[in-house]
Amino acid sequence: DIDILVPDITKASALAALGNLWNIQPEEMAAFGDGGNDLEMLQFVGHGYAMSNAIPSIKAIADQVIDSNE
């Protein structure tokens, strides 16, 4: 797989834009992640979940580690 990274555009910035559009606060949001490109998103939302097969840095910042996505 490949990630295309654009400066200042992250999953968190996308959630912020959607939250503004739909009047949803970050603390009302939940997100699930397993890789480095999920870091900002999991920090942004009120409820961040890491998959059990996630990289260690994602598990470290998640509110909870849940089952694998494999």
Side-chain angles (χ1 to χ4, degrees):
D1 70 56
I2 184 171
D3 284 334
I4 298 173
L5 304 175
V6 178
D8 300 321
I9 303 295
T10 65
K11 292 178 181 183
S13 66
L15 287 177
L18 290 172
N20 287 333
L21 181 67
W22 294 328
N23 197 30
I24 301 170
Q25 301 302 310
E27 56 271 12
E28 298 176 287
M29 298 179 186
F32 302 81
D34 63 354
N37 65 339
D38 298 319
L39 182 70
E40 294 92 350
M41 174 181 66
L42 293 176
Q43 291 173 324
F44 178 77
V45 299
H47 308 281
Y49 299 92
M51 313 316 289
S52 65
N53 60 310
I55 62 174
S57 60
I58 295 300
K59 289 181 182 178
I61 59 102
D63 297 312
Q64 186 175 349
V65 177
I66 60 174
D67 289 341
S68 171
N69 61 356
E70 291 183 1

